[in-house]
Amino acid sequence: MTSTGRRVFNVINAIILTGVVVVTLYPFVNIVARSLSSEQEIIAGRVTLLPRGFDLTTYRLVMSDSLFWTNYRNTVIYTVVATTISIVLTTCYAYVLSKQHLRGRGVLVGIAVFTMFFSGGLIPNYVLVSGLGLRNTIWAVVLPNAINVFNLLVMKAFFESLPVELEEQAAVDGLGTYGILLRIVLPLSKAIVATMLLFYAVAYWNSWFTAFLYLDRAELFPVTVYLRNLIAGATDATSTGSVDTDVAQVAANIKAVTMVLTVVPILTVYPFVQRYFVSGVMLGAVKG
């Protein structure tokens, strides 16, 4: 039988969690409603949770542009390639750093941690990428930030939490270093790998400044740069004071449309990796 104190706790807990859910969902629902509302209703501030003056002008103008779909395809390609490279490099580096007996391990960890606080700067990075001939190529987008040090340290901690006896037994059975990693360690690391996949994929999907910096040709832009330019163009057009109806509508809700178009793909992927998310982060962060 449930005690009175337990029932009170459950009620209070439900109220608090409901409030958290409402506070979390309201901004996103409002963004979706604004993206579907007319210019007059948005300017008047009458849009809350439901669209007012239903209008798809901005969606129609954006999605009828062939360059939008080209840039969207670029985003998918950049995200897949960059995430694959990042996962491979991060996994290999983290696995090496997890070995306590490795000579020079402290130096390698120090090099990684150093880059969390210090960088070469924007101009030296630009000169480096240009000097390597990577400008206006996919590699300018996917290589400069291939390893995130935070993700590296989380994965390193996870590998350190695995029983050493498993690897020792595998070595006795004749497996080499790569065999142990591929056949023993990685099958036990699905949670942390899925978590890192999500972290990297979201970061690359939302990234725009790297492409904006290193790419000059519009057909190479990711969709984030396309939408950024669309926002800038709509803002400039409205500042002149003489715009047609379509441009005014685009200027009114382009930011909301931009958020919806960039967030929806990630939202569709997230449920498939969500079950790994909490366990992956916790297993990589808690030492037993």
mmCIF file of all heavy atoms in Angstrom, residues 61-112:
data_model
loop_
_atom_site.group_PDB
_atom_site.id
_atom_site.type_symbol
_atom_site.label_atom_id
_atom_site.label_comp_id
_atom_site.label_asym_id
_atom_site.label_seq_id
_atom_site.Cartn_x
_atom_site.Cartn_y
_atom_site.Cartn_z
ATOM 1 N N LEU A 61 8.423 29.231 -51.369
ATOM 2 C CA LEU A 61 9.531 29.910 -52.030
ATOM 3 C C LEU A 61 10.861 29.199 -51.782
ATOM 4 O O LEU A 61 11.692 29.081 -52.679
ATOM 5 C CB LEU A 61 9.612 31.359 -51.545
ATOM 6 C CG LEU A 61 8.479 32.284 -51.999
ATOM 7 C CD1 LEU A 61 8.630 33.660 -51.360
ATOM 8 C CD2 LEU A 61 8.457 32.401 -53.513
ATOM 9 N N VAL A 62 11.050 28.739 -50.551
ATOM 10 C CA VAL A 62 12.307 28.069 -50.218
ATOM 11 C C VAL A 62 12.404 26.719 -50.924
ATOM 12 O O VAL A 62 13.423 26.399 -51.560
ATOM 13 C CB VAL A 62 12.441 27.891 -48.696
ATOM 14 C CG1 VAL A 62 13.636 27.000 -48.357
ATOM 15 C CG2 VAL A 62 12.606 29.248 -48.019
ATOM 16 N N MET A 63 11.346 25.923 -50.842
ATOM 17 C CA MET A 63 11.412 24.553 -51.337
ATOM 18 C C MET A 63 11.236 24.440 -52.841
ATOM 19 O O MET A 63 11.456 23.368 -53.424
ATOM 20 C CB MET A 63 10.372 23.698 -50.607
ATOM 21 C CG MET A 63 10.580 23.680 -49.093
ATOM 22 S SD MET A 63 9.418 22.652 -48.172
ATOM 23 C CE MET A 63 10.029 21.026 -48.589
ATOM 24 N N SER A 64 10.853 25.527 -53.502
ATOM 25 C CA SER A 64 10.775 25.509 -54.966
ATOM 26 C C SER A 64 12.105 25.878 -55.616
ATOM 27 O O SER A 64 12.262 25.785 -56.839
ATOM 28 C CB SER A 64 9.692 26.482 -55.445
ATOM 29 O OG SER A 64 10.019 27.816 -55.089
ATOM 30 N N ASP A 65 13.072 26.270 -54.792
ATOM 31 C CA ASP A 65 14.395 26.656 -55.288
ATOM 32 C C ASP A 65 15.274 25.406 -55.401
ATOM 33 O O ASP A 65 15.518 24.713 -54.396
ATOM 34 C CB ASP A 65 15.023 27.673 -54.338
ATOM 35 C CG ASP A 65 16.336 28.230 -54.866
ATOM 36 O OD1 ASP A 65 16.780 27.803 -55.949
ATOM 37 O OD2 ASP A 65 16.918 29.101 -54.182
ATOM 38 N N SER A 66 15.770 25.113 -56.595
ATOM 39 C CA SER A 66 16.604 23.925 -56.796
ATOM 40 C C SER A 66 17.900 24.001 -55.990
ATOM 41 O O SER A 66 18.439 22.975 -55.569
ATOM 42 C CB SER A 66 16.936 23.752 -58.281
ATOM 43 O OG SER A 66 17.653 24.882 -58.776
ATOM 44 N N LEU A 67 18.395 25.234 -55.748
ATOM 45 C CA LEU A 67 19.618 25.388 -54.969
ATOM 46 C C LEU A 67 19.411 24.921 -53.520
ATOM 47 O O LEU A 67 20.341 24.399 -52.893
ATOM 48 C CB LEU A 67 20.078 26.846 -54.987
ATOM 49 C CG LEU A 67 21.423 27.142 -54.302
ATOM 50 C CD1 LEU A 67 22.550 26.346 -54.956
ATOM 51 C CD2 LEU A 67 21.720 28.634 -54.332
ATOM 52 N N PHE A 68 18.195 25.092 -53.009
ATOM 53 C CA PHE A 68 17.896 24.626 -51.656
ATOM 54 C C PHE A 68 18.108 23.122 -51.556
ATOM 55 O O PHE A 68 18.731 22.630 -50.601
ATOM 56 C CB PHE A 68 16.456 24.977 -51.288
ATOM 57 C CG PHE A 68 15.954 24.291 -50.039
ATOM 58 C CD1 PHE A 68 16.309 24.761 -48.788
ATOM 59 C CD2 PHE A 68 15.137 23.173 -50.124
ATOM 60 C CE1 PHE A 68 15.854 24.125 -47.630
ATOM 61 C CE2 PHE A 68 14.680 22.527 -48.982
ATOM 62 C CZ PHE A 68 15.037 23.011 -47.740
ATOM 63 N N TRP A 69 17.614 22.377 -52.533
ATOM 64 C CA TRP A 69 17.753 20.917 -52.488
ATOM 65 C C TRP A 69 19.192 20.482 -52.727
ATOM 66 O O TRP A 69 19.654 19.494 -52.154
ATOM 67 C CB TRP A 69 16.813 20.277 -53.513
ATOM 68 C CG TRP A 69 15.372 20.508 -53.172
ATOM 69 C CD1 TRP A 69 14.499 21.317 -53.819
ATOM 70 C CD2 TRP A 69 14.660 19.949 -52.063
ATOM 71 N NE1 TRP A 69 13.278 21.301 -53.199
ATOM 72 C CE2 TRP A 69 13.341 20.462 -52.121
ATOM 73 C CE3 TRP A 69 15.004 19.071 -51.039
ATOM 74 C CZ2 TRP A 69 12.378 20.112 -51.182
ATOM 75 C CZ3 TRP A 69 14.041 18.725 -50.100
ATOM 76 C CH2 TRP A 69 12.743 19.237 -50.186
ATOM 77 N N THR A 70 19.910 21.241 -53.566
ATOM 78 C CA THR A 70 21.340 20.951 -53.749
ATOM 79 C C THR A 70 22.096 21.138 -52.435
ATOM 80 O O THR A 70 22.913 20.295 -52.042
ATOM 81 C CB THR A 70 21.934 21.882 -54.821
ATOM 82 O OG1 THR A 70 21.274 21.653 -56.070
ATOM 83 C CG2 THR A 70 23.429 21.621 -54.994
ATOM 84 N N ASN A 71 21.823 22.234 -51.760
ATOM 85 C CA ASN A 71 22.492 22.495 -50.482
ATOM 86 C C ASN A 71 22.044 21.520 -49.400
ATOM 87 O O ASN A 71 22.838 21.152 -48.525
ATOM 88 C CB ASN A 71 22.219 23.932 -50.034
ATOM 89 C CG ASN A 71 22.887 24.970 -50.920
ATOM 90 O OD1 ASN A 71 22.514 26.139 -50.931
ATOM 91 N ND2 ASN A 71 23.871 24.552 -51.717
ATOM 92 N N TYR A 72 20.800 21.088 -49.458
ATOM 93 C CA TYR A 72 20.317 20.096 -48.492
ATOM 94 C C TYR A 72 21.053 18.770 -48.691
ATOM 95 O O TYR A 72 21.450 18.106 -47.727
ATOM 96 C CB TYR A 72 18.812 19.895 -48.650
ATOM 97 C CG TYR A 72 18.080 19.717 -47.346
ATOM 98 C CD1 TYR A 72 17.390 20.777 -46.780
ATOM 99 C CD2 TYR A 72 18.091 18.506 -46.667
ATOM 100 C CE1 TYR A 72 16.719 20.633 -45.575
ATOM 101 C CE2 TYR A 72 17.428 18.353 -45.469
ATOM 102 C CZ TYR A 72 16.740 19.418 -44.928
ATOM 103 O OH TYR A 72 16.094 19.269 -43.725
ATOM 104 N N ARG A 73 21.237 18.406 -49.959
ATOM 105 C CA ARG A 73 21.993 17.184 -50.249
ATOM 106 C C ARG A 73 23.436 17.320 -49.756
ATOM 107 O O ARG A 73 23.998 16.376 -49.191
ATOM 108 C CB ARG A 73 21.991 16.932 -51.759
ATOM 109 C CG ARG A 73 22.741 15.664 -52.186
ATOM 110 C CD ARG A 73 23.013 15.692 -53.666
ATOM 111 N NE ARG A 73 23.903 16.797 -54.014
ATOM 112 C CZ ARG A 73 24.041 17.302 -55.225
ATOM 113 N NH1 ARG A 73 23.342 16.810 -56.236
ATOM 114 N NH2 ARG A 73 24.881 18.306 -55.447
ATOM 115 N N ASN A 74 24.015 18.507 -49.951
ATOM 116 C CA ASN A 74 25.374 18.737 -49.451
ATOM 117 C C ASN A 74 25.450 18.543 -47.938
ATOM 118 O O ASN A 74 26.411 17.956 -47.429
ATOM 119 C CB ASN A 74 25.827 20.160 -49.802
ATOM 120 C CG ASN A 74 26.028 20.362 -51.283
ATOM 121 O OD1 ASN A 74 26.142 19.404 -52.045
ATOM 122 N ND2 ASN A 74 26.041 21.607 -51.710
ATOM 123 N N THR A 75 24.448 19.046 -47.238
ATOM 124 C CA THR A 75 24.433 18.904 -45.783
ATOM 125 C C THR A 75 24.417 17.449 -45.363
ATOM 126 O O THR A 75 25.130 17.034 -44.439
ATOM 127 C CB THR A 75 23.212 19.632 -45.183
ATOM 128 O OG1 THR A 75 23.295 21.029 -45.494
ATOM 129 C CG2 THR A 75 23.157 19.461 -43.673
ATOM 130 N N VAL A 76 23.597 16.660 -46.038
ATOM 131 C CA VAL A 76 23.541 15.223 -45.723
ATOM 132 C C VAL A 76 24.894 14.567 -45.978
ATOM 133 O O VAL A 76 25.403 13.798 -45.147
ATOM 134 C CB VAL A 76 22.438 14.530 -46.557
ATOM 135 C CG1 VAL A 76 22.488 13.013 -46.346
ATOM 136 C CG2 VAL A 76 21.065 15.073 -46.189
ATOM 137 N N ILE A 77 25.506 14.881 -47.111
ATOM 138 C CA ILE A 77 26.803 14.294 -47.455
ATOM 139 C C ILE A 77 27.870 14.729 -46.452
ATOM 140 O O ILE A 77 28.632 13.899 -45.928
ATOM 141 C CB ILE A 77 27.225 14.696 -48.880
ATOM 142 C CG1 ILE A 77 26.262 14.086 -49.907
ATOM 143 C CG2 ILE A 77 28.659 14.253 -49.170
ATOM 144 C CD1 ILE A 77 26.500 14.565 -51.328
ATOM 145 N N TYR A 78 27.928 16.040 -46.165
ATOM 146 C CA TYR A 78 28.922 16.542 -45.217
ATOM 147 C C TYR A 78 28.744 15.897 -43.842
ATOM 148 O O TYR A 78 29.730 15.525 -43.183
ATOM 149 C CB TYR A 78 28.813 18.065 -45.074
ATOM 150 C CG TYR A 78 29.136 18.851 -46.321
ATOM 151 C CD1 TYR A 78 28.741 20.176 -46.474
ATOM 152 C CD2 TYR A 78 29.828 18.262 -47.375
ATOM 153 C CE1 TYR A 78 29.039 20.909 -47.609
ATOM 154 C CE2 TYR A 78 30.130 18.981 -48.529
ATOM 155 C CZ TYR A 78 29.725 20.297 -48.642
ATOM 156 O OH TYR A 78 30.016 21.010 -49.778
ATOM 157 N N THR A 79 27.501 15.785 -43.407
ATOM 158 C CA THR A 79 27.237 15.222 -42.083
ATOM 159 C C THR A 79 27.636 13.757 -42.007
ATOM 160 O O THR A 79 28.282 13.323 -41.042
ATOM 161 C CB THR A 79 25.748 15.379 -41.726
ATOM 162 O OG1 THR A 79 25.387 16.768 -41.740
ATOM 163 C CG2 THR A 79 25.456 14.798 -40.352
ATOM 164 N N VAL A 80 27.289 12.986 -43.024
ATOM 165 C CA VAL A 80 27.606 11.552 -43.019
ATOM 166 C C VAL A 80 29.119 11.338 -43.074
ATOM 167 O O VAL A 80 29.688 10.572 -42.283
ATOM 168 C CB VAL A 80 26.915 10.837 -44.198
ATOM 169 C CG1 VAL A 80 27.424 9.395 -44.338
ATOM 170 C CG2 VAL A 80 25.406 10.841 -44.006
ATOM 171 N N VAL A 81 29.788 12.029 -44.001
ATOM 172 C CA VAL A 81 31.237 11.856 -44.158
ATOM 173 C C VAL A 81 31.978 12.352 -42.913
ATOM 174 O O VAL A 81 32.862 11.663 -42.382
ATOM 175 C CB VAL A 81 31.737 12.597 -45.416
ATOM 176 C CG1 VAL A 81 33.270 12.550 -45.484
ATOM 177 C CG2 VAL A 81 31.135 11.984 -46.666
ATOM 178 N N ALA A 82 31.620 13.543 -42.435
ATOM 179 C CA ALA A 82 32.318 14.119 -41.278
ATOM 180 C C ALA A 82 32.086 13.286 -40.025
ATOM 181 O O ALA A 82 33.023 13.062 -39.241
ATOM 182 C CB ALA A 82 31.841 15.553 -41.052
ATOM 183 N N THR A 83 30.864 12.818 -39.820
ATOM 184 C CA THR A 83 30.571 12.007 -38.636
ATOM 185 C C THR A 83 31.328 10.694 -38.688
ATOM 186 O O THR A 83 31.855 10.227 -37.660
ATOM 187 C CB THR A 83 29.057 11.748 -38.527
ATOM 188 O OG1 THR A 83 28.360 13.001 -38.454
ATOM 189 C CG2 THR A 83 28.739 10.920 -37.297
ATOM 190 N N THR A 84 31.409 10.076 -39.861
ATOM 191 C CA THR A 84 32.149 8.822 -40.004
ATOM 192 C C THR A 84 33.622 9.020 -39.674
ATOM 193 O O THR A 84 34.223 8.245 -38.915
ATOM 194 C CB THR A 84 32.008 8.276 -41.437
ATOM 195 O OG1 THR A 84 30.621 8.069 -41.731
ATOM 196 C CG2 THR A 84 32.755 6.958 -41.589
ATOM 197 N N ILE A 85 34.219 10.071 -40.249
ATOM 198 C CA ILE A 85 35.634 10.359 -39.974
ATOM 199 C C ILE A 85 35.848 10.638 -38.486
ATOM 200 O O ILE A 85 36.795 10.135 -37.871
ATOM 201 C CB ILE A 85 36.104 11.546 -40.824
ATOM 202 C CG1 ILE A 85 36.133 11.160 -42.306
ATOM 203 C CG2 ILE A 85 37.487 12.026 -40.380
ATOM 204 C CD1 ILE A 85 36.442 12.315 -43.238
ATOM 205 N N SER A 86 34.969 11.434 -37.900
ATOM 206 C CA SER A 86 35.114 11.803 -36.492
ATOM 207 C C SER A 86 34.992 10.595 -35.576
ATOM 208 O O SER A 86 35.754 10.455 -34.612
ATOM 209 C CB SER A 86 34.065 12.855 -36.110
ATOM 210 O OG SER A 86 34.299 14.067 -36.793
ATOM 211 N N ILE A 87 34.045 9.713 -35.868
ATOM 212 C CA ILE A 87 33.859 8.523 -35.031
ATOM 213 C C ILE A 87 35.090 7.614 -35.114
ATOM 214 O O ILE A 87 35.577 7.099 -34.101
ATOM 215 C CB ILE A 87 32.590 7.758 -35.452
ATOM 216 C CG1 ILE A 87 31.354 8.474 -34.915
ATOM 217 C CG2 ILE A 87 32.621 6.331 -34.934
ATOM 218 C CD1 ILE A 87 31.241 8.447 -33.397
ATOM 219 N N VAL A 88 35.616 7.424 -36.324
ATOM 220 C CA VAL A 88 36.784 6.561 -36.498
ATOM 221 C C VAL A 88 37.988 7.140 -35.752
ATOM 222 O O VAL A 88 38.675 6.440 -34.988
ATOM 223 C CB VAL A 88 37.108 6.366 -37.993
ATOM 224 C CG1 VAL A 88 38.458 5.660 -38.160
ATOM 225 C CG2 VAL A 88 36.009 5.571 -38.674
ATOM 226 N N LEU A 89 38.273 8.423 -35.948
ATOM 227 C CA LEU A 89 39.431 9.050 -35.314
ATOM 228 C C LEU A 89 39.279 9.122 -33.793
ATOM 229 O O LEU A 89 40.224 8.838 -33.049
ATOM 230 C CB LEU A 89 39.654 10.452 -35.887
ATOM 231 C CG LEU A 89 40.033 10.529 -37.371
ATOM 232 C CD1 LEU A 89 40.212 11.975 -37.800
ATOM 233 C CD2 LEU A 89 41.308 9.734 -37.653
ATOM 234 N N THR A 90 38.092 9.507 -33.335
ATOM 235 C CA THR A 90 37.861 9.617 -31.896
ATOM 236 C C THR A 90 37.966 8.256 -31.215
ATOM 237 O O THR A 90 38.567 8.131 -30.138
ATOM 238 C CB THR A 90 36.483 10.238 -31.618
ATOM 239 O OG1 THR A 90 36.398 11.515 -32.248
ATOM 240 C CG2 THR A 90 36.255 10.404 -30.117
ATOM 241 N N THR A 91 37.405 7.225 -31.844
ATOM 242 C CA THR A 91 37.460 5.878 -31.267
ATOM 243 C C THR A 91 38.905 5.387 -31.173
ATOM 244 O O THR A 91 39.327 4.872 -30.127
ATOM 245 C CB THR A 91 36.624 4.896 -32.109
ATOM 246 O OG1 THR A 91 35.265 5.347 -32.139
ATOM 247 C CG2 THR A 91 36.674 3.497 -31.531
ATOM 248 N N CYS A 92 39.650 5.547 -32.241
ATOM 249 C CA CYS A 92 41.043 5.082 -32.236
ATOM 250 C C CYS A 92 41.883 5.841 -31.217
ATOM 251 O O CYS A 92 42.661 5.242 -30.454
ATOM 252 C CB CYS A 92 41.646 5.230 -33.631
ATOM 253 S SG CYS A 92 40.919 4.147 -34.883
ATOM 254 N N TYR A 93 41.736 7.162 -31.174
ATOM 255 C CA TYR A 93 42.519 7.976 -30.249
ATOM 256 C C TYR A 93 42.123 7.654 -28.799
ATOM 257 O O TYR A 93 42.976 7.500 -27.920
ATOM 258 C CB TYR A 93 42.289 9.450 -30.562
ATOM 259 C CG TYR A 93 43.321 10.402 -29.999
ATOM 260 C CD1 TYR A 93 43.211 11.773 -30.225
ATOM 261 C CD2 TYR A 93 44.391 9.953 -29.233
ATOM 262 C CE1 TYR A 93 44.145 12.662 -29.723
ATOM 263 C CE2 TYR A 93 45.335 10.829 -28.718
ATOM 264 C CZ TYR A 93 45.208 12.186 -28.964
ATOM 265 O OH TYR A 93 46.136 13.063 -28.454
ATOM 266 N N ALA A 94 40.819 7.536 -28.541
ATOM 267 C CA ALA A 94 40.356 7.256 -27.181
ATOM 268 C C ALA A 94 40.811 5.874 -26.721
ATOM 269 O O ALA A 94 41.183 5.688 -25.558
ATOM 270 C CB ALA A 94 38.833 7.354 -27.122
ATOM 271 N N TYR A 95 40.804 4.912 -27.634
ATOM 272 C CA TYR A 95 41.227 3.555 -27.268
ATOM 273 C C TYR A 95 42.712 3.541 -26.894
ATOM 274 O O TYR A 95 43.122 2.877 -25.935
ATOM 275 C CB TYR A 95 40.963 2.598 -28.425
ATOM 276 C CG TYR A 95 41.309 1.157 -28.124
ATOM 277 C CD1 TYR A 95 40.609 0.442 -27.160
ATOM 278 C CD2 TYR A 95 42.342 0.516 -28.800
ATOM 279 C CE1 TYR A 95 40.930 -0.874 -26.871
ATOM 280 C CE2 TYR A 95 42.672 -0.805 -28.519
ATOM 281 C CZ TYR A 95 41.958 -1.486 -27.556
ATOM 282 O OH TYR A 95 42.286 -2.787 -27.266
ATOM 283 N N VAL A 96 43.506 4.281 -27.642
ATOM 284 C CA VAL A 96 44.935 4.375 -27.331
ATOM 285 C C VAL A 96 45.144 5.034 -25.969
ATOM 286 O O VAL A 96 45.917 4.544 -25.132
ATOM 287 C CB VAL A 96 45.671 5.170 -28.431
ATOM 288 C CG1 VAL A 96 47.085 5.523 -27.979
ATOM 289 C CG2 VAL A 96 45.716 4.369 -29.721
ATOM 290 N N LEU A 97 44.438 6.133 -25.713
ATOM 291 C CA LEU A 97 44.620 6.857 -24.457
ATOM 292 C C LEU A 97 44.118 6.078 -23.244
ATOM 293 O O LEU A 97 44.493 6.383 -22.107
ATOM 294 C CB LEU A 97 43.897 8.205 -24.522
ATOM 295 C CG LEU A 97 44.409 9.215 -25.552
ATOM 296 C CD1 LEU A 97 43.618 10.516 -25.469
ATOM 297 C CD2 LEU A 97 45.899 9.488 -25.362
ATOM 298 N N SER A 98 43.267 5.093 -23.477
ATOM 299 C CA SER A 98 42.717 4.318 -22.355
ATOM 300 C C SER A 98 43.705 3.286 -21.826
ATOM 301 O O SER A 98 43.460 2.666 -20.781
ATOM 302 C CB SER A 98 41.424 3.612 -22.785
ATOM 303 O OG SER A 98 41.682 2.588 -23.736
ATOM 304 N N LYS A 99 44.829 3.090 -22.520
ATOM 305 C CA LYS A 99 45.818 2.091 -22.105
ATOM 306 C C LYS A 99 46.804 2.691 -21.100
ATOM 307 O O LYS A 99 47.624 3.543 -21.448
ATOM 308 C CB LYS A 99 46.587 1.545 -23.332
ATOM 309 C CG LYS A 99 45.674 0.910 -24.369
ATOM 310 C CD LYS A 99 44.815 -0.145 -23.730
ATOM 311 C CE LYS A 99 43.664 -0.570 -24.613
ATOM 312 N NZ LYS A 99 42.713 -1.420 -23.887
ATOM 313 N N GLN A 100 46.698 2.223 -19.868
ATOM 314 C CA GLN A 100 47.515 2.788 -18.790
ATOM 315 C C GLN A 100 49.007 2.540 -19.001
ATOM 316 O O GLN A 100 49.844 3.329 -18.559
ATOM 317 C CB GLN A 100 47.085 2.172 -17.444
ATOM 318 C CG GLN A 100 45.614 2.370 -17.096
ATOM 319 C CD GLN A 100 45.282 3.808 -16.756
ATOM 320 O OE1 GLN A 100 46.163 4.585 -16.398
ATOM 321 N NE2 GLN A 100 44.009 4.169 -16.868
ATOM 322 N N HIS A 101 49.345 1.457 -19.686
ATOM 323 C CA HIS A 101 50.752 1.096 -19.845
ATOM 324 C C HIS A 101 51.417 1.786 -21.032
ATOM 325 O O HIS A 101 52.605 1.593 -21.271
ATOM 326 C CB HIS A 101 50.879 -0.427 -20.040
ATOM 327 C CG HIS A 101 50.156 -0.921 -21.257
ATOM 328 N ND1 HIS A 101 48.811 -1.279 -21.225
ATOM 329 C CD2 HIS A 101 50.558 -1.098 -22.544
ATOM 330 C CE1 HIS A 101 48.435 -1.665 -22.440
ATOM 331 N NE2 HIS A 101 49.481 -1.562 -23.250
ATOM 332 N N LEU A 102 50.677 2.574 -21.787
ATOM 333 C CA LEU A 102 51.214 3.207 -22.991
ATOM 334 C C LEU A 102 52.270 4.253 -22.644
ATOM 335 O O LEU A 102 52.028 5.158 -21.850
ATOM 336 C CB LEU A 102 50.079 3.866 -23.783
ATOM 337 C CG LEU A 102 50.483 4.608 -25.061
ATOM 338 C CD1 LEU A 102 50.946 3.623 -26.125
ATOM 339 C CD2 LEU A 102 49.319 5.454 -25.574
ATOM 340 N N ARG A 103 53.434 4.142 -23.261
ATOM 341 C CA ARG A 103 54.481 5.143 -23.057
ATOM 342 C C ARG A 103 54.083 6.462 -23.731
ATOM 343 O O ARG A 103 53.625 6.468 -24.866
ATOM 344 C CB ARG A 103 55.796 4.652 -23.637
ATOM 345 C CG ARG A 103 56.432 3.485 -22.883
ATOM 346 C CD ARG A 103 57.775 3.120 -23.475
ATOM 347 N NE ARG A 103 58.402 2.012 -22.747
ATOM 348 C CZ ARG A 103 59.579 1.488 -23.068
ATOM 349 N NH1 ARG A 103 60.272 1.993 -24.090
ATOM 350 N NH2 ARG A 103 60.069 0.482 -22.370
ATOM 351 N N GLY A 104 54.271 7.537 -23.034
ATOM 352 C CA GLY A 104 53.915 8.840 -23.588
ATOM 353 C C GLY A 104 52.435 9.141 -23.520
ATOM 354 O O GLY A 104 51.968 10.107 -24.123
ATOM 355 N N ARG A 105 51.688 8.324 -22.783
ATOM 356 C CA ARG A 105 50.237 8.528 -22.683
ATOM 357 C C ARG A 105 49.902 9.907 -22.125
ATOM 358 O O ARG A 105 48.994 10.589 -22.620
ATOM 359 C CB ARG A 105 49.634 7.440 -21.802
ATOM 360 C CG ARG A 105 48.137 7.572 -21.516
ATOM 361 C CD ARG A 105 47.657 6.374 -20.718
ATOM 362 N NE ARG A 105 46.252 6.466 -20.386
ATOM 363 C CZ ARG A 105 45.782 7.033 -19.270
ATOM 364 N NH1 ARG A 105 46.634 7.551 -18.379
ATOM 365 N NH2 ARG A 105 44.493 7.081 -19.032
ATOM 366 N N GLY A 106 50.630 10.331 -21.101
ATOM 367 C CA GLY A 106 50.378 11.636 -20.505
ATOM 368 C C GLY A 106 50.576 12.774 -21.493
ATOM 369 O O GLY A 106 49.827 13.756 -21.482
ATOM 370 N N VAL A 107 51.568 12.626 -22.356
ATOM 371 C CA VAL A 107 51.818 13.656 -23.372
ATOM 372 C C VAL A 107 50.666 13.731 -24.361
ATOM 373 O O VAL A 107 50.198 14.821 -24.728
ATOM 374 C CB VAL A 107 53.142 13.374 -24.118
ATOM 375 C CG1 VAL A 107 53.351 14.379 -25.248
ATOM 376 C CG2 VAL A 107 54.318 13.411 -23.156
ATOM 377 N N LEU A 108 50.189 12.570 -24.800
ATOM 378 C CA LEU A 108 49.079 12.531 -25.757
ATOM 379 C C LEU A 108 47.802 13.110 -25.154
ATOM 380 O O LEU A 108 47.058 13.838 -25.823
ATOM 381 C CB LEU A 108 48.843 11.089 -26.214
ATOM 382 C CG LEU A 108 49.959 10.451 -27.036
ATOM 383 C CD1 LEU A 108 49.647 8.988 -27.344
ATOM 384 C CD2 LEU A 108 50.191 11.219 -28.338
ATOM 385 N N VAL A 109 47.539 12.783 -23.886
ATOM 386 C CA VAL A 109 46.374 13.355 -23.212
ATOM 387 C C VAL A 109 46.540 14.861 -23.076
ATOM 388 O O VAL A 109 45.595 15.634 -23.305
ATOM 389 C CB VAL A 109 46.177 12.705 -21.819
ATOM 390 C CG1 VAL A 109 45.063 13.423 -21.059
ATOM 391 C CG2 VAL A 109 45.858 11.223 -21.957
ATOM 392 N N GLY A 110 47.750 15.296 -22.734
ATOM 393 C CA GLY A 110 48.009 16.725 -22.586
ATOM 394 C C GLY A 110 47.814 17.492 -23.880
ATOM 395 O O GLY A 110 47.261 18.590 -23.877
ATOM 396 N N ILE A 111 48.252 16.895 -24.990
ATOM 397 C CA ILE A 111 48.068 17.545 -26.296
ATOM 398 C C ILE A 111 46.585 17.728 -26.589
ATOM 399 O O ILE A 111 46.144 18.793 -27.059
ATOM 400 C CB ILE A 111 48.740 16.711 -27.404
ATOM 401 C CG1 ILE A 111 50.266 16.755 -27.252
ATOM 402 C CG2 ILE A 111 48.323 17.210 -28.784
ATOM 403 C CD1 ILE A 111 50.999 15.834 -28.207
ATOM 404 N N ALA A 112 45.799 16.689 -26.309
ATOM 405 C CA ALA A 112 44.365 16.764 -26.571
ATOM 406 C C ALA A 112 43.699 17.821 -25.692
ATOM 407 O O ALA A 112 42.929 18.662 -26.177
ATOM 408 C CB ALA A 112 43.723 15.392 -26.341
#
